[in-house]
Amino acid sequence: MTPAPRKRSAPARRPAPARRPAPSKRSVPRLPAPARAEGALGPRQLLAFDAAARLPGTAKVVGVLVPAGARSVKAPPGITLSPAYLALRGFEGKRGQSVVVPGPAGKVVLALGTGSPGGDDLEALRLAGAALVRGSAHAAHAALYAGSLPRGVDPAAAGQALAEGASLAAYRYTTFKSDTNGAGRPRLERVTVVGGDPVLAAGLERGAVVASAVALARDLVNEPPGSLTPTRMADIATRLAARSGLEATAYDSAAIDAERLGGLAGVARGSEEEPRLVRLEYTPRRADASVPTVALVGKGITFDSGGLSLKTADGMMTMKTDMSGAAAVLAAMSVLGRLGVPVRVVGFMPLTENMPGGRAIKPGDVLRARNGKTIEVLNTDAEGRLVLADAISLAVEEGPAAVIDLATLTGAVVVALGRRIAGLMGNDDELAARLEESSARAGERLWRLPLPDDYRKDIDSEVADIKNIGGPGSAGSIIAGLFLREFVDGVPWAHLDIAGTARSDADDGYTTKGATGFGVRTLLELLGSWDVSAPA
């Protein structure tokens, strides 16, 4: 008989500190960790930014913002941009468009398109910052003229967007490269923004911090799975927490069993690598009991073979990406203090591999999640929802104002929305609207999908409370969302399916090939703007 779920108000039990697992006795050698010190991963500034009244002499590239349809172009002294000449070069001022134009001796001038004039188009500024960096690959110092900022844009937000776009375009993952100064790596080190409102400088600083968090998420996801094991990621998280003013607890295998995290323990059975569950906590300065709590949950499958429901060889090639949700949570939380986020935040990262070892769960097995619900596992490749079930249950026990989970959960969301838009599902319209607004300002697109109650019967099980997949031809992403809803106990909850957006197959704008760090900017925008004076 299924026990009743724990009451939301009951405090979560804290496990004992994690024990380091015994050394493996396997004869197969493991991929070595990167040359840098183990656990040393953290936010890293990709470019330096400053503001100045005049063009610095050392800046060899100068970017000038040009809106579409401009009849005249504002430019710094000594530089003239003719709209007629730009038109002859095929430049229309579109978002992300750039063209090299004649400039003063010793300098390269880039016209950077910003799209429709006026308005608050922050994404156009991110793309302009990225275009500046991509056009400055052989310069150590570039300048951007801010006197041509679009009308109506907030200068602080503009500075943040420009810094984000420029920084993220400069990102490269070179840990395992023999030549880290290869031809594809930009040499650009500094960007000076010239002119504009003094407030813009504060925005530049904030944008650099946000970009450093995204870079951390990209670094984590880009690491080979033999290097970034569940135990190493937990170690990185606890070390980073100590440097970032966070409290951290890592649950080892014994604690996972003691805390009744049956979904996580079940998925981990097929791997020789030990699982971990990491709990992080951020408390703002001068916080009192009235400050609301927001809980974040990130799926952390450090490699997904599919288990006994084995993936194809092609399907496995990018499965180190399956911990992108956990990477986004850790990266966002690592800079909450630096950004002065006003709300208390707790984060949960269930970490394991999904492998087809001799002890692996089998189709037809039944697992019991933290909240007492039993789950019939009919496809071991639908494992993310099993580990999230436990983590969401723990998050709910914190009594939060909201729970938000991020997961590379379903291939179906890629079919529905492609690789540039993530799926949003949830049980609370206000929370969903907040996320949509935050994602729009952050430049990370979301599309809300329904959770129709009449689809719920598709996860009814013959032998357990629920099963982990729907029937043939079912709406895979929606079914996964309905499965997760079983563990939120009525708390306002949102689920971001980032399976399509977590990785890019090409350099594009400020996105580089490989991990994208999707979700970090949306979370930071949401948490930073949370109204702590409103009722939770």
Side-chain angles (χ1 to χ4, degrees):
M1 186 173 176
T2 304
R6 291 168 61 94
K7 294 183 179 179
R8 236 167 50 208
S9 58
R13 293 187 296 172
R14 301 286 185 265
R19 296 189 296 274
R20 186 174 295 278
S24 171
K25 297 180 181 179
R26 295 179 299 172
S27 59
V28 180
R30 291 175 57 181
L31 183 68
R36 59 186 168 214
E38 181 170 327
L41 273 172
R44 55 188 176 99
Q45 185 158 332
L46 300 163
L47 288 175
F49 294 92
D50 59 12
R54 297 183 181 85
L55 284 178
T58 55
K60 301 304 182 185
V61 179
V62 180
V64 179
L65 304 175
V66 182
R71 295 183 179 180
S72 63
V73 180
K74 292 182 180 179
I79 295 176
T80 301
L81 282 85
S82 164
Y85 176 79
L86 293 176
L88 285 174
R89 296 290 305 276
F91 180 85
E92 301 175 10
K94 293 180 179 178
R95 267 178 164 200
Q97 190 179 22
S98 66
V99 65
V100 178
V101 298
K107 294 190 186 296
V108 173
V109 177
L110 283 173
L112 306 170
T114 58
S116 301
D120 194 12
D121 191 350
L122 299 178
E123 184 66 3
L125 296 179
R126 289 188 193 93
L127 293 173
L132 175 68
V133 168
R134 296 196 183 280
S136 307
H138 301 294
H141 189 183
L144 179 66
Y145 182 60
S148 52
L149 279 174
R151 295 187 308 273
V153 67
D154 174 70
Q160 179 176 340
L162 289 167
E164 287 175 1
S167 296
L168 295 176
Y171 173 88
R172 292 293 183 274
Y173 180 75
T174 59
T175 301
F176 291 90
K177 292 281 189 182
S178 299
D179 178 13
T180 59
N181 292 309
R185 184 172 186 239
R187 293 174 51 224
L188 188 64
E189 298 174 353
R190 176 175 294 275
V191 173
T192 297
V193 179
V194 179
D197 192 297
V199 176
L200 186 140
L204 292 172
E205 182 178 353
R206 182 179 179 87
V209 172
V210 172
S212 74
V214 178
L216 169 59
R218 290 182 179 182
D219 283 345
L220 289 166
V221 178
N222 281 329
E223 285 243 359
S227 169
L228 191 70
T229 60
T231 51
R232 180 164 180 259
M233 187 164 178
D235 183 59
I236 290 169
T238 53
R239 290 170 184 254
L240 184 55
R243 301 202 307 266
S244 305
L246 306 175
E247 294 183 17
T249 306
Y251 298 53
D252 65 4
S253 289
I256 287 168
D257 289 339
E259 292 297 312
R260 309 185 315 281
L261 308 183
L264 176 57
V267 173
R269 271 168 32 190
S271 174
E272 293 188 35
E273 294 288 346
E274 277 215 7
R276 290 289 185 270
L277 185 135
V278 176
R279 179 189 181 276
L280 301 171
E281 181 177 338
Y282 162 79
T283 303
R285 293 179 180 178
R286 296 182 295 276
D288 56 30
S290 67
V291 173
T293 296
V294 177
L296 307 178
V297 177
K299 175 187 172 185
I301 304 296
T302 60
F303 184 76
D304 182 16
S305 73
L308 291 180
S309 304
L310 199 65
K311 294 180 183 290
T312 63
D314 287 347
M316 268 190 251
M317 286 197 296
T318 59
M319 282 301 104
K320 67 179 183 179
T321 308
D322 215 19
M323 39 63 70
S324 297
V329 169
L330 174 58
M333 293 195 67
S334 72
V335 296
L336 295 180
R338 293 173 67 187
L339 295 177
V341 167
V343 68
R344 178 174 174 266
V345 182
V346 291
F348 292 90
M349 300 158 47
L351 306 169
T352 183
E353 294 180 336
N354 182 28
M355 299 293 283
R359 297 183 60 250
I361 51 174
K362 309 167 185 66
D365 277 350
V366 175
L367 305 177
R368 189 183 297 275
R370 164 75 176 190
N371 73 344
K373 286 186 184 288
T374 54
I375 306 163
E376 183 184 14
V377 180
L378 294 180
N379 186 324
T380 65
D381 195 25
E383 85 300 329
R385 64 202 70 182
L386 302 177
V387 304
L388 288 173
D390 288 327
I392 290 173
S393 296
L394 285 171
V396 165
E397 292 173 9
E398 300 282 342
V403 175
I404 302 164
D405 79 79
L406 300 89
T408 47
L409 206 61
T410 67
V413 81
V414 185
V415 175
L417 300 176
R419 296 202 169 272
R420 299 186 181 187
I421 304 174
L424 164 65
M425 286 161 267
N427 64 354
D428 186 85
D429 290 342
E430 181 182 352
L431 178 60
R434 284 185 183 182
L435 276 163
E436 288 172 324
E437 180 180 349
S438 297
S439 70
R441 289 188 62 79
E444 295 181 320
R445 286 185 286 178
L446 304 177
W447 190 266
R448 190 173 183 186
L449 300 173
L451 288 178
D453 290 333
D454 56 324
Y455 282 31
R456 165 60 182 80
K457 62 180 179 296
D458 285 4
I459 56 172
D460 284 340
S461 166
E462 296 177 11
V463 299
D465 295 326
I466 52 175
K467 58 184 179 179
N468 75 328
I469 58 172
S474 61
S477 299
I478 292 173
I479 292 300
L482 288 168
F483 179 95
L484 296 179
R485 193 177 68 177
E486 294 290 307
F487 301 90
V488 302
D489 196 22
V491 170
W493 156 77
H495 160 60
L496 305 184
D497 192 335
I498 61 173
T501 55
R503 176 181 171 81
S504 174
D505 292 328
D507 291 344
D508 183 16
Y510 55 81
T511 300
T512 54
K513 186 175 181 179
T516 64
F518 187 96
V520 174
R521 288 180 289 142
T522 295
L523 290 178
L524 292 176
E525 180 68 30
L526 174 76
L527 296 171
S529 61
W530 200 282
D531 184 2
V532 296
S533 65

